[in-house]
């Protein structure tokens, strides 16, 4: 479909130094953009990369260029598309964007190319979202989920659920339209069992933990008393000198963040100020930030200094984190330990030394227990999961009504509600507001 929309342009490659920078144009004036802003005399062949020079609005050459005209509908947006492949760096693409603007071609909004692809029917909403997920994937797992979604895994799963639901709705409507021909009790029984089965299919496809881990990662806070070796541990885990390490108690005040991958999931580490009574203003703020970070964490690494007796702050911390996902780390095992402390935590804690590296693999293994999860459900995106759960809820309510024997018209209302939730996943039924929200999270140029 070629739309009559205006023509948009944006750099499609990340800004900065690089081999090439691509400026993409989409819309009815794409061909004109190429003929005005390149020195090629003849026409551009469809889908063929051609060597030429890009020109500015005055016809002055601004860079060498490989340019391509891609005619609708075999393009990303299903509109005519032009691309200018310039040298990387800021200036060429910036100058060309200015020349396009002078022609009256406007800068694309965030996600606008993909939005057009969606509106022109080239991709459904879940695939459009997958494009964004792939671009912004922060972990291998997130990228894998995105590719699966891009391949249409989510769409085909939801479509099959929609088909099943259409069948169920048709059955209910037949019973409503021809009450004398269809036995209501039978209709209700079959409705209840079918809708419950479908609700179950949807619920078991929802991989909430997987979605959370791939979208957010595992928030892990390193906490403990001052000088226990928390910052050293952060550095050792991420393999970089991120946090300042000294033997001065109270060195870390701001929260220092770093990350590493575990089972393809990003572990978001936060190193915090050591917990102690302190008179110093900045350190006190750091300590209260540490407590707040602890509250929201998915996993706590409680660092206990093996060379010292356990102080009251550590006791309190151990109490506060009991029953949560936590790993106790007994630090500095290369030094002579305090016998009491070592004896107490010998079995419960992961003993390690950041100096020798001893025990680090065991800690990584322990952390990886929290980044592994059983489910590899079809739905791994929070937006899809909450819609699928709403649909399942509506189906269960229809099943309850049917079980209670009757009110088929009310069941039908629930079933249609379920259908509309499913439709919001693929974008068959989605309003402008949701679309704005989804596409505004894209980068400009995609
Ligand atoms: N020998 C030894 N010293 C360590 C180890 N971990 C940390 N330290 C030392 O303990 C002091 C405090 O470490 P730091 O990581 O800043 O502790 P934090 O206050 O808990 O962040 C520094 O002098 C570190 O060099 C360790 O595993 N072995
Ligand atoms: Mg520190």
């Amino acid at each position: 479909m070629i739309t009559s929309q205006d023509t948009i342009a944006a750099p499609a490659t990340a800004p900065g130094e690089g081999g090439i920078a691509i400026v993409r144009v989409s819309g009815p004036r794409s061909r004109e953009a190429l003929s005005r802003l390149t020195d090629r005399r003849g026409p551009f062949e469809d889908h063929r990369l051609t060597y030429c020079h890009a020109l500015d609005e005055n016809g002055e050459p601004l860079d060498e260029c490989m340019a391509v005209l891609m005619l609708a509908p075999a393009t990303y947006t299903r509109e005519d598309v032009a691309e200018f492949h310039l040298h990387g760096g800021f200036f060429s693409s910036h100058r060309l964007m200015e020349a396009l603007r002078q022609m009256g071609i406007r800068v694309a909004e965030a996600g606008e190319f993909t939005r057009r692809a969606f509106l022109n029917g080239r991709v459904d909403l879940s695939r459009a979202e997958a494009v964004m997920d792939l671009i912004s994937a922060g972990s291998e797992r997130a990228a894998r989920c995105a590719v699966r979604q891009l391949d249409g895994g989510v769409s085909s799963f939801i479509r099959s659920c929609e088909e099943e639901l259409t069948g169920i709705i048709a059955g209910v409507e037949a019973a409503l339209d021809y009450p004398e021909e269809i036995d209501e009790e039978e209709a209700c029984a079959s409705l209840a069992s079918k809708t419950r089965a479908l609700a179950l299919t949807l619920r078991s496809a929802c991989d909430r933990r997987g979605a959370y881990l791939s979208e957010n990662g595992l928030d892990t806070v390193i906490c403990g008393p001052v000088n226990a070796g928390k910052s050293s541990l952060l550095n050792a885990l991420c393999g970089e000198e991120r946090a300042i390490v000294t033997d001065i108690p109270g060195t870390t005040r701001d929260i220092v963040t770093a990350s590493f991958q575990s089972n393809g999931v990003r572990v978001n580490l936060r190193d915090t100020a050591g917990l102690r009574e302190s008179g110093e203003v900045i350190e006190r703020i750091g300590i209260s930030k540490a407590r707040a970070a602890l509250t929201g964490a998915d996993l706590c690494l409680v660092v206990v200094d093996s060379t010292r007796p356990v102080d009251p702050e550590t006791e309190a911390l151990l109490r506060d984190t009991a029953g949560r996902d936590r790993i106790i780390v007994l630090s500095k095992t290369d030094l002579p330990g305090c016998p009491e402390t070592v004896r107490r935590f010998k079995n419960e804690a992961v003993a390690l030394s950041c100096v020798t590296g001893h025990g680090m693999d065991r800690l990584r293994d322990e952390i990886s227990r929290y980044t592994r999860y059983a489910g590899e459900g079809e739905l791994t995106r929070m937006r899809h999961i909450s819609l699928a759960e709403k649909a399942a809820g509506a189906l269960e309510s229809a099943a309850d009504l049917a079980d209670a024997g009757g009110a088929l018209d009310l069941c039908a209302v629930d079933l249609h509600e379920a259908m509309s939730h499913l439709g919001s996943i693929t974008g068959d039924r989605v309003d402008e507001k949701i679309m704005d929200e989804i596409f505004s999270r894209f980068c400009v140029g995609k």
Side-chain angles (χ1 to χ4, degrees):
M1 183 203 318
I2 304 167
T3 65
S4 55
Q5 300 195 51
D6 55 351
T7 301
I8 54 173
T13 43
E17 287 180 32
I20 56 170
I22 299 176
V23 170
R24 176 150 60 181
V25 180
S26 179
R29 298 183 67 198
S30 296
R31 189 199 293 265
E32 184 198 342
L34 279 174
S35 61
R36 280 182 50 177
L37 300 179
T38 69
D39 62 358
R40 185 176 162 80
R41 298 266 160 74
F44 279 85
E45 260 177 78
D46 188 13
H47 280 83
R48 189 180 193 112
L49 209 51
T50 308
Y51 175 81
C52 55
H53 285 85
L55 308 177
D56 68 13
E57 63 275 16
N58 304 316
E60 297 294 327
L62 60 85
D63 195 357
E64 276 182 310
C65 176
M66 294 291 281
V68 58
L69 175 67
M70 292 177 272
L71 293 174
T75 66
Y76 185 69
T77 53
R78 284 207 175 160
E79 301 171 341
D80 288 353
V81 168
E83 280 180 5
F84 297 80
H85 298 218
L86 306 159
H87 284 111
F90 176 70
F91 284 99
S92 297
S93 52
H94 182 73
R95 289 287 299 107
L96 184 66
M97 282 302 295
E98 177 54 27
L100 287 162
R101 206 182 60 79
Q102 297 274 347
M103 272 181 70
I105 291 177
R106 82 176 158 80
V107 180
E109 286 165 24
E112 198 170 0
F113 291 98
T114 309
R115 187 181 186 128
R116 288 185 175 196
F118 167 66
L119 289 173
N120 293 334
R122 199 181 83 84
V123 292
D124 72 12
L125 200 53
S126 77
R127 286 191 207 192
E129 286 173 299
V131 170
M132 174 176 62
D133 287 351
L134 189 57
I135 293 172
S136 63
S139 68
E140 195 187 311
R141 184 191 151 84
R144 235 180 15 237
C145 289
V147 169
R148 204 170 53 176
Q149 196 172 319
L150 195 56
D151 282 345
V154 173
S155 320
S156 62
F157 170 72
I158 294 299
R159 300 238 183 268
S160 78
C161 292
E162 283 175 334
E163 260 167 46
E164 171 74 21
L165 184 52
T166 306
I168 297 173
I169 291 176
V172 171
E173 276 165 5
L176 283 170
D177 290 348
Y178 307 102
E180 58 289 340
E181 280 162 49
I182 294 169
D183 179 57
E184 180 161 342
E185 210 168 297
E186 241 170 64
C188 280
S190 117
L191 169 69
S193 78
K194 281 185 190 157
T195 45
R196 273 196 215 291
L198 184 56
L200 188 66
T201 304
L202 282 167
R203 289 210 187 273
S204 33
C206 292
D207 188 356
R208 248 185 193 279
R209 178 142 178 101
Y212 175 77
L213 288 177
S214 67
E215 281 175 32
N216 175 79
L218 184 77
D219 288 338
T220 303
V221 166
I222 305 177
C223 54
V226 284
N227 258 0
K230 300 178 297 301
S231 299
S232 306
L233 184 60
L234 175 101
N235 292 343
L237 279 171
C238 73
E240 257 182 88
E241 297 300 308
R242 293 300 290 272
I244 300 173
V245 170
T246 73
D247 56 3
I248 304 164
T251 302
T252 309
R253 283 112 66 111
D254 258 334
I255 289 180
V256 180
T257 57
S259 68
F260 67 99
Q261 302 273 322
S262 166
N263 290 320
V265 166
R266 194 179 61 228
V267 178
N268 309 313
L269 281 176
R270 285 143 84 76
D271 174 29
T272 61
L275 303 178
R276 66 164 174 180
E277 286 301 320
S278 168
E280 208 259 330
V281 180
I282 302 174
E283 192 182 352
R284 276 216 311 272
I285 297 173
I287 292 172
S288 75
K289 281 190 175 189
R291 293 197 194 283
L294 200 55
T295 314
D298 301 316
L299 174 66
C300 324
L301 304 183
V302 180
V303 183
V304 176
D305 188 336
S306 71
T307 64
R308 280 185 284 166
V310 179
D311 57 25
E313 273 84 17
T314 311
E315 291 292 2
L317 187 59
L318 288 165
R319 259 198 321 275
D320 292 348
T321 54
R324 296 183 48 180
D325 283 348
R326 76 159 178 203
I327 299 170
I328 301 176
V329 172
L330 191 62
S331 67
K332 309 188 190 174
T333 54
D334 57 296
L335 296 176
C338 162
E340 245 175 62
T341 307
V342 172
R343 204 174 319 118
R344 175 168 163 196
F345 291 101
K346 197 165 72 236
N347 297 324
E348 200 186 345
V350 178
L352 58 80
S353 161
C354 293
V355 171
T356 64
H358 176 261
M360 289 302 298
D361 283 344
R362 165 120 195 265
L363 179 61
R364 284 200 189 87
D365 281 352
E366 289 287 322
I367 293 173
S368 77
R369 285 179 32 213
Y370 297 92
T371 54
R372 238 189 329 252
Y373 37 87
E376 275 264 332
E378 279 88 349
L379 303 179
T380 48
R381 212 169 196 289
M382 282 300 182
R383 192 184 77 83
H384 300 164
I385 289 175
S386 43
L387 287 164
E389 285 177 346
K390 280 188 194 156
L395 290 170
E396 283 152 359
S397 136
D400 288 345
L401 282 169
D403 274 341
L408 278 178
D409 48 344
L410 291 182
C411 290
V413 173
D414 281 334
L415 296 176
H416 283 290
E417 189 194 321
M419 189 63 115
S420 109
H421 291 311
L422 293 181
S424 300
I425 296 179
T426 51
D428 288 350
R429 300 173 194 76
V430 70
D431 62 33
E432 199 74 13
K433 229 176 79 213
I434 296 176
M435 240 157 53
D436 283 345
E437 200 201 301
I438 291 171
F439 288 106
S440 66
R441 286 184 292 133
F442 274 62
C443 45
V444 173
K446 195 62 207 178

